[in-house]
Amino acid sequence: MGLKYVAAYLMTVLAGKDSPKAADIKKILESVESEYDEEIANKLVSELEGKTVHEVIAEGKEKLKGFGGGGGGAAVGGGG
């Protein structure tokens, strides 16, 4: 699934529509002359049906906690 579908979905939510439909995603993508695949849009809408964006983001944050974070290895000293 392309990020543009998720972005269009989120833009619709930010515009005040709590439960966007595939037609809302289509309208946004076509307004910027982007390709649109109805099957992808319908899949996204069906997967998010009954959930709020805030719930989905909170679930995602919980999943990301398992990955740890930050820091890399120790810095390598330069030779002289």
Side-chain angles (χ1 to χ4, degrees):
M1 178 179 311
L3 184 59
K4 66 184 179 182
Y5 292 90
V6 176
Y9 185 94
L10 291 172
M11 288 174 66
T12 305
V13 172
L14 287 172
K17 192 161 194 174
D18 291 333
S19 299
K21 305 291 182 215
D24 300 315
I25 295 171
K26 180 179 182 179
K27 185 176 181 180
I28 290 173
L29 294 180
E30 288 183 345
S31 75
V32 294
E33 299 178 5
S34 180
E35 291 181 17
Y36 171 77
D37 184 329
E38 188 170 4
E39 186 176 324
I40 294 173
N42 284 329
K43 181 178 180 185
L44 174 64
V45 169
S46 69
E47 287 181 7
L48 295 175
E49 191 172 351
K51 299 179 183 178
T52 68
V53 170
H54 301 292
E55 291 172 341
V56 174
I57 291 171
E59 288 175 19
K61 282 184 177 180
E62 287 300 315
K63 289 179 183 178
L64 288 175
K65 285 181 181 178
F67 286 102
V76 177

Coordinates of all heavy atoms in Angstrom, one line a residue:
M1 N 0.9 -1.2 0.0 CA 0.0 0.0 0.0 C 0.9 1.2 0.0 O 1.8 1.3 0.8 CB -0.9 0.0 1.2 CG -1.8 1.2 1.3 SD -2.9 1.2 2.8 CE -3.6 -0.4 2.7
G2 N 0.6 2.1 -0.9 CA 1.4 3.3 -1.0 C 1.1 4.3 0.2 O 0.0 4.4 0.7
L3 N 2.1 5.0 0.5 CA 2.0 6.1 1.6 C 1.0 7.2 1.2 O 0.4 7.7 2.1 CB 3.4 6.6 1.9 CG 3.4 7.6 3.1 CD1 2.9 7.0 4.4 CD2 4.9 8.1 3.2
K4 N 0.9 7.4 -0.1 CA 0.0 8.5 -0.5 C -1.5 8.2 -0.1 O -2.2 9.1 0.1 CB 0.1 8.7 -2.1 CG -0.4 7.6 -2.9 CD -0.1 7.9 -4.4 CE -0.6 6.7 -5.3 NZ -0.3 7.0 -6.7
Y5 N -1.8 6.9 -0.1 CA -3.2 6.6 0.3 C -3.4 6.9 1.8 O -4.4 7.5 2.2 CB -3.5 5.1 0.0 CG -3.6 4.8 -1.4 CD1 -2.5 4.5 -2.1 CD2 -4.8 5.0 -2.1 CE1 -2.5 4.2 -3.5 CE2 -4.9 4.8 -3.5 CZ -3.7 4.4 -4.2 OH -3.8 4.2 -5.5
V6 N -2.4 6.6 2.6 CA -2.5 6.9 4.1 C -2.5 8.4 4.3 O -3.3 8.9 5.1 CB -1.3 6.2 4.8 CG1 -1.3 6.6 6.3 CG2 -1.4 4.7 4.6
A7 N -1.6 9.1 3.5 CA -1.6 10.5 3.7 C -2.9 11.2 3.3 O -3.4 12.1 4.0 CB -0.4 11.1 2.8
A8 N -3.5 10.7 2.2 CA -4.8 11.3 1.8 C -5.9 11.0 2.8 O -6.7 11.8 3.1 CB -5.2 10.7 0.4
Y9 N -5.8 9.8 3.4 CA -6.8 9.4 4.5 C -6.6 10.4 5.7 O -7.6 10.9 6.2 CB -6.5 8.0 4.9 CG -7.5 7.4 5.9 CD1 -8.6 6.7 5.5 CD2 -7.3 7.6 7.3 CE1 -9.5 6.2 6.4 CE2 -8.3 7.2 8.2 CZ -9.4 6.5 7.8 OH -10.3 6.0 8.7
L10 N -5.4 10.6 6.1 CA -5.1 11.5 7.2 C -5.5 12.9 6.9 O -6.0 13.6 7.8 CB -3.6 11.4 7.6 CG -3.2 10.1 8.2 CD1 -1.7 10.1 8.4 CD2 -3.9 9.8 9.6
M11 N -5.3 13.4 5.7 CA -5.7 14.7 5.3 C -7.2 14.9 5.4 O -7.7 15.9 5.9 CB -5.2 15.0 3.9 CG -3.7 15.2 3.8 SD -3.2 15.4 2.1 CE -3.9 17.0 1.6
T12 N -7.9 13.8 5.1 CA -9.4 13.8 5.2 C -9.8 13.9 6.6 O -10.7 14.7 6.9 CB -10.0 12.6 4.5 OG1 -9.5 12.5 3.1 CG2 -11.5 12.6 4.5
V13 N -9.1 13.2 7.5 CA -9.4 13.2 8.9 C -9.1 14.6 9.5 O -9.9 15.2 10.2 CB -8.6 12.2 9.7 CG1 -8.8 12.3 11.2 CG2 -9.1 10.8 9.3
L14 N -8.0 15.2 9.1 CA -7.7 16.5 9.5 C -8.7 17.6 9.0 O -8.9 18.6 9.7 CB -6.3 16.9 9.0 CG -5.1 16.2 9.8 CD1 -3.8 16.5 9.1 CD2 -5.0 16.6 11.2
A15 N -9.3 17.3 7.9 CA -10.3 18.2 7.4 C -11.6 18.1 8.1 O -12.6 18.8 7.9 CB -10.5 18.0 5.9
G16 N -11.7 17.1 9.1 CA -12.9 17.0 9.9 C -13.8 15.8 9.6 O -14.8 15.6 10.3
K17 N -13.4 14.9 8.8 CA -14.2 13.7 8.5 C -13.6 12.6 9.3 O -12.5 12.1 9.0 CB -14.2 13.4 7.0 CG -15.2 12.4 6.6 CD -15.5 12.5 5.1 CE -16.8 11.7 4.8 NZ -17.2 11.9 3.5
D18 N -14.4 12.1 10.3 CA -13.8 11.0 11.2 C -13.7 9.7 10.5 O -12.9 8.9 10.9 CB -14.7 10.9 12.4 CG -14.6 12.1 13.3 OD1 -13.6 12.8 13.3 OD2 -15.6 12.4 14.0
S19 N -14.6 9.4 9.5 CA -14.6 8.1 8.9 C -14.5 8.3 7.3 O -15.5 8.1 6.7 CB -15.8 7.3 9.2 OG -15.8 7.0 10.6
P20 N -13.3 8.6 6.8 CA -13.2 8.8 5.4 C -13.6 7.5 4.6 O -13.5 6.4 5.0 CB -11.7 9.1 5.2 CG -11.3 9.6 6.5 CD -12.1 8.8 7.5
K21 N -14.1 7.8 3.4 CA -14.4 6.7 2.4 C -13.4 6.7 1.3 O -12.6 7.7 1.2 CB -15.8 7.0 1.9 CG -16.9 7.1 2.9 CD -17.1 5.8 3.6 CE -18.2 5.9 4.6 NZ -18.0 5.1 5.8
A22 N -13.4 5.7 0.5 CA -12.5 5.6 -0.6 C -12.7 6.8 -1.6 O -11.7 7.3 -2.2 CB -12.7 4.3 -1.4
A23 N -13.9 7.3 -1.7 CA -14.2 8.4 -2.6 C -13.5 9.7 -2.1 O -13.0 10.5 -2.9 CB -15.7 8.6 -2.7
D24 N -13.3 9.8 -0.8 CA -12.6 10.9 -0.2 C -11.1 10.9 -0.6 O -10.5 11.9 -1.0 CB -12.7 11.0 1.3 CG -14.2 11.1 1.7 OD1 -14.9 11.9 1.2 OD2 -14.6 10.4 2.7
I25 N -10.5 9.7 -0.5 CA -9.1 9.5 -0.9 C -9.0 9.8 -2.4 O -8.0 10.4 -2.8 CB -8.7 8.0 -0.5 CG1 -8.7 7.8 1.0 CG2 -7.3 7.7 -1.1 CD1 -8.5 6.4 1.4
K26 N -9.9 9.3 -3.2 CA -9.8 9.5 -4.6 C -9.8 11.0 -5.0 O -9.1 11.4 -5.8 CB -11.0 8.8 -5.3 CG -11.1 9.0 -6.8 CD -12.2 8.2 -7.4 CE -12.2 8.4 -8.9 NZ -13.3 7.7 -9.5
K27 N -10.7 11.7 -4.3 CA -10.8 13.1 -4.6 C -9.5 13.9 -4.3 O -9.1 14.7 -5.1 CB -11.9 13.7 -3.7 CG -12.2 15.2 -4.0 CD -13.4 15.7 -3.1 CE -13.7 17.1 -3.4 NZ -14.9 17.6 -2.6
I28 N -8.8 13.5 -3.2 CA -7.6 14.1 -2.9 C -6.5 13.7 -3.9 O -5.8 14.6 -4.4 CB -7.1 13.8 -1.4 CG1 -8.1 14.5 -0.4 CG2 -5.7 14.2 -1.2 CD1 -7.9 14.1 1.0
L29 N -6.4 12.5 -4.2 CA -5.3 12.0 -5.1 C -5.5 12.5 -6.5 O -4.5 12.9 -7.1 CB -5.2 10.5 -5.1 CG -4.8 9.8 -3.8 CD1 -4.7 8.3 -3.9 CD2 -3.4 10.4 -3.3
E30 N -6.7 12.6 -6.9 CA -7.0 13.1 -8.3 C -6.8 14.6 -8.3 O -6.4 15.2 -9.4 CB -8.4 12.7 -8.7 CG -8.5 11.2 -9.1 CD -9.8 10.8 -9.6 OE1 -10.8 11.6 -9.5 OE2 -9.9 9.7 -10.2
S31 N -6.9 15.3 -7.2 CA -6.7 16.8 -7.2 C -5.2 17.1 -7.5 O -4.9 18.2 -7.9 CB -7.2 17.4 -5.9 OG -6.2 17.1 -4.8
V32 N -4.3 16.2 -7.2 CA -2.9 16.4 -7.5 C -2.4 15.6 -8.6 O -1.3 15.3 -8.8 CB -2.1 16.2 -6.2 CG1 -2.4 17.2 -5.2 CG2 -2.2 14.8 -5.7
E33 N -3.4 15.1 -9.4 CA -3.1 14.3 -10.6 C -2.3 13.1 -10.4 O -1.4 12.7 -11.1 CB -2.5 15.2 -11.7 CG -3.4 16.3 -12.1 CD -2.8 17.2 -13.2 OE1 -1.7 17.0 -13.7 OE2 -3.4 18.3 -13.5
S34 N -2.6 12.4 -9.2 CA -1.9 11.2 -8.8 C -2.7 10.0 -9.3 O -3.9 10.1 -9.4 CB -1.7 11.1 -7.3 OG -1.1 10.0 -6.9
E35 N -2.0 8.9 -9.6 CA -2.8 7.7 -9.9 C -3.6 7.2 -8.7 O -3.2 7.4 -7.6 CB -1.8 6.6 -10.3 CG -1.1 6.8 -11.6 CD -0.1 5.7 -12.0 OE1 -0.2 4.6 -11.4 OE2 0.7 6.0 -12.9
Y36 N -4.7 6.5 -9.0 CA -5.6 6.1 -7.9 C -6.0 4.6 -8.2 O -6.4 4.3 -9.3 CB -6.8 7.0 -7.9 CG -7.9 6.5 -7.0 CD1 -7.8 6.6 -5.6 CD2 -9.0 5.8 -7.5 CE1 -8.8 6.1 -4.7 CE2 -10.0 5.3 -6.6 CZ -9.9 5.5 -5.3 OH -10.9 5.0 -4.4
D37 N -5.9 3.8 -7.2 CA -6.3 2.4 -7.3 C -7.4 2.2 -6.3 O -7.1 2.2 -5.1 CB -5.1 1.5 -7.0 CG -5.4 0.0 -7.2 OD1 -6.6 -0.4 -7.0 OD2 -4.5 -0.8 -7.6
E38 N -8.6 1.9 -6.8 CA -9.7 1.8 -5.9 C -9.6 0.6 -4.9 O -10.0 0.7 -3.7 CB -11.0 1.7 -6.7 CG -12.3 1.7 -5.8 CD -13.5 1.9 -6.6 OE1 -13.5 1.8 -7.9 OE2 -14.6 2.0 -6.0
E39 N -9.0 -0.4 -5.4 CA -8.8 -1.6 -4.5 C -7.9 -1.3 -3.3 O -8.2 -1.7 -2.2 CB -8.1 -2.7 -5.3 CG -8.0 -4.1 -4.6 CD -7.5 -5.2 -5.4 OE1 -7.8 -5.2 -6.7 OE2 -6.7 -6.0 -4.9
I40 N -6.8 -0.5 -3.5 CA -6.0 -0.1 -2.4 C -6.7 0.8 -1.4 O -6.6 0.6 -0.2 CB -4.7 0.5 -2.9 CG1 -3.9 -0.5 -3.7 CG2 -3.9 1.1 -1.8 CD1 -2.7 0.2 -4.4
A41 N -7.4 1.7 -2.0 CA -8.2 2.7 -1.1 C -9.2 1.9 -0.3 O -9.4 2.2 0.9 CB -8.8 3.8 -2.0
N42 N -10.0 1.0 -0.9 CA -11.0 0.3 -0.2 C -10.4 -0.6 0.9 O -11.0 -0.7 2.0 CB -11.8 -0.6 -1.2 CG -12.8 0.2 -2.0 OD1 -13.3 1.2 -1.5 ND2 -13.0 -0.2 -3.2
K43 N -9.2 -1.2 0.6 CA -8.5 -2.0 1.6 C -8.2 -1.2 2.8 O -8.4 -1.6 4.0 CB -7.3 -2.7 1.0 CG -6.6 -3.5 2.0 CD -5.4 -4.2 1.4 CE -4.7 -5.1 2.4 NZ -3.5 -5.7 2.0
L44 N -7.6 0.0 2.6 CA -7.2 0.9 3.7 C -8.4 1.3 4.5 O -8.4 1.2 5.7 CB -6.5 2.2 3.1 CG -6.2 3.2 4.2 CD1 -5.2 2.7 5.2 CD2 -5.7 4.5 3.5
V45 N -9.5 1.7 3.8 CA -10.7 2.1 4.5 C -11.3 1.0 5.4 O -11.7 1.2 6.5 CB -11.7 2.7 3.5 CG1 -13.1 2.9 4.2 CG2 -11.2 4.0 2.9
S46 N -11.3 -0.2 4.8 CA -11.9 -1.3 5.5 C -11.0 -1.7 6.7 O -11.5 -2.1 7.8 CB -12.1 -2.6 4.6 OG -10.8 -3.1 4.2
E47 N -9.7 -1.6 6.6 CA -8.8 -1.9 7.7 C -8.9 -0.9 8.9 O -8.7 -1.3 10.0 CB -7.4 -2.0 7.3 CG -7.1 -3.3 6.4 CD -5.6 -3.4 6.0 OE1 -4.8 -2.5 6.4 OE2 -5.3 -4.3 5.2
L48 N -9.3 0.3 8.5 CA -9.4 1.3 9.6 C -10.8 1.6 10.0 O -11.0 2.4 10.9 CB -8.8 2.7 9.0 CG -7.3 2.6 8.8 CD1 -6.8 3.9 8.1 CD2 -6.5 2.3 10.0
E49 N -11.7 0.9 9.5 CA -13.2 1.0 9.8 C -13.4 0.7 11.3 O -12.9 -0.2 11.8 CB -14.0 0.1 9.0 CG -15.5 0.4 9.1 CD -16.3 -0.4 8.1 OE1 -15.7 -1.1 7.2 OE2 -17.5 -0.4 8.2
G50 N -14.1 1.7 12.0 CA -14.4 1.5 13.4 C -13.2 1.9 14.3 O -13.4 1.8 15.5
K51 N -12.1 2.4 13.8 CA -11.0 2.9 14.6 C -10.8 4.4 14.3 O -11.1 4.9 13.3 CB -9.7 2.2 14.2 CG -9.7 0.7 14.3 CD -8.4 0.1 13.9 CE -8.4 -1.4 14.0 NZ -7.2 -2.0 13.5
T52 N -10.4 5.1 15.4 CA -10.0 6.5 15.2 C -8.5 6.5 14.8 O -7.7 5.6 15.1 CB -10.3 7.3 16.5 OG1 -9.3 6.9 17.5 CG2 -11.7 7.2 17.0
V53 N -8.1 7.6 14.2 CA -6.7 7.8 13.8 C -5.9 7.8 15.1 O -4.8 7.2 15.1 CB -6.5 9.1 13.0 CG1 -5.1 9.4 12.9 CG2 -7.2 9.0 11.7
H54 N -6.4 8.4 16.2 CA -5.6 8.4 17.4 C -5.4 7.0 18.0 O -4.3 6.8 18.5 CB -6.3 9.3 18.5 CG -6.6 10.7 18.0 ND1 -5.5 11.6 17.8 CD2 -7.7 11.3 17.6 CE1 -6.0 12.7 17.4 NE2 -7.3 12.6 17.2
E55 N -6.3 6.1 17.8 CA -6.1 4.7 18.3 C -5.1 4.0 17.5 O -4.2 3.3 18.0 CB -7.5 4.0 18.2 CG -8.5 4.4 19.1 CD -9.9 3.7 18.8 OE1 -10.1 3.2 17.7 OE2 -10.7 3.7 19.7
V56 N -5.1 4.2 16.2 CA -4.2 3.6 15.3 C -2.7 4.1 15.6 O -1.8 3.3 15.6 CB -4.5 3.8 13.8 CG1 -3.5 3.3 12.9 CG2 -5.9 3.2 13.5
I57 N -2.6 5.4 15.8 CA -1.3 5.9 16.1 C -0.8 5.4 17.4 O 0.4 5.0 17.6 CB -1.3 7.5 16.0 CG1 -1.5 7.9 14.6 CG2 0.0 8.0 16.6 CD1 -1.8 9.4 14.4
A58 N -1.6 5.3 18.4 CA -1.3 4.8 19.7 C -0.8 3.4 19.6 O 0.2 3.0 20.2 CB -2.4 5.0 20.7
E59 N -1.5 2.5 18.8 CA -1.2 1.1 18.6 C 0.2 1.1 18.0 O 1.0 0.2 18.4 CB -2.2 0.4 17.8 CG -3.5 0.1 18.4 CD -4.5 -0.5 17.5 OE1 -4.1 -1.0 16.4 OE2 -5.7 -0.4 17.8
G60 N 0.4 1.9 17.0 CA 1.7 1.9 16.3 C 2.9 2.3 17.2 O 3.9 1.7 17.1
K61 N 2.6 3.3 18.1 CA 3.7 3.7 19.0 C 4.0 2.5 20.0 O 5.2 2.3 20.3 CB 3.2 4.9 19.9 CG 3.3 6.2 19.1 CD 2.9 7.3 20.0 CE 3.1 8.7 19.4 NZ 2.7 9.8 20.3
E62 N 3.0 1.8 20.4 CA 3.3 0.6 21.3 C 4.1 -0.4 20.6 O 5.0 -1.0 21.2 CB 2.0 0.0 21.8 CG 1.3 0.9 22.8 CD 2.1 1.1 24.1 OE1 2.7 0.1 24.6 OE2 2.2 2.3 24.5
K63 N 3.8 -0.7 19.3 CA 4.6 -1.7 18.6 C 6.0 -1.2 18.4 O 7.0 -2.0 18.4 CB 3.9 -1.9 17.2 CG 2.6 -2.6 17.3 CD 2.0 -2.8 15.9 CE 0.7 -3.5 16.1 NZ 0.0 -3.7 14.8
L64 N 6.3 0.1 18.2 CA 7.6 0.6 18.0 C 8.5 0.6 19.2 O 9.7 0.5 19.1 CB 7.5 2.1 17.4 CG 7.0 2.2 16.0 CD1 6.9 3.7 15.7 CD2 8.0 1.5 15.0
K65 N 7.9 0.5 20.4 CA 8.6 0.4 21.6 C 9.5 -0.8 21.6 O 10.6 -0.8 22.2 CB 7.7 0.5 22.8 CG 7.2 1.8 23.1 CD 6.3 1.8 24.4 CE 5.7 3.2 24.7 NZ 4.8 3.1 25.8
G66 N 9.1 -1.9 21.0 CA 9.8 -3.1 21.0 C 11.1 -3.0 20.2 O 12.0 -3.9 20.3
F67 N 11.2 -2.0 19.3 CA 12.4 -1.9 18.5 C 13.6 -1.2 19.2 O 14.7 -1.1 18.7 CB 12.1 -1.1 17.2 CG 11.3 -1.8 16.2 CD1 10.0 -1.6 16.1 CD2 11.9 -2.8 15.4 CE1 9.2 -2.3 15.2 CE2 11.2 -3.5 14.5 CZ 9.8 -3.3 14.4
G68 N 13.3 -0.7 20.4 CA 14.4 0.1 21.1 C 14.6 1.4 20.4 O 13.7 1.9 19.7
G69 N 15.7 2.0 20.6 CA 15.9 3.3 19.9 C 17.2 3.9 20.2 O 18.0 3.4 21.0
G70 N 17.4 4.9 19.5 CA 18.6 5.8 19.7 C 19.9 5.1 19.5 O 20.0 3.9 19.2
G71 N 20.9 5.8 19.8 CA 22.3 5.3 19.9 C 22.8 4.4 18.9 O 22.2 3.5 18.4
G72 N 24.0 4.6 18.6 CA 24.7 3.7 17.7 C 25.9 3.2 18.4 O 26.0 3.2 19.7
G73 N 26.9 2.7 17.7 CA 28.1 2.1 18.4 C 28.9 3.3 18.9 O 28.7 4.4 18.7
A74 N 30.0 2.9 19.6 CA 30.9 3.9 20.1 C 31.7 4.6 18.9 O 31.9 4.0 17.9 CB 31.9 3.2 21.0
A75 N 32.0 5.8 19.1 CA 32.8 6.5 18.1 C 34.2 6.0 17.9 O 34.8 5.6 18.9 CB 32.8 8.0 18.5
V76 N 34.6 5.9 16.7 CA 35.9 5.4 16.4 C 36.9 6.6 16.5 O 36.7 7.6 15.8 CB 36.0 4.8 15.0 CG1 37.4 4.3 14.7 CG2 35.0 3.6 15.0
G77 N 38.0 6.4 17.2 CA 39.0 7.5 17.3 C 39.8 7.6 16.1 O 40.1 6.6 15.4
G78 N 40.2 8.8 15.8 CA 41.0 9.0 14.6 C 42.5 8.7 14.9 O 43.0 8.9 15.9
G79 N 43.2 8.2 13.9 CA 44.6 7.9 14.0 C 45.4 9.2 13.8 O 45.0 10.1 13.2
G80 N 46.6 9.2 14.3 CA 47.3 10.4 14.3 C 48.4 10.5 13.4 O 49.0 11.0 12.7

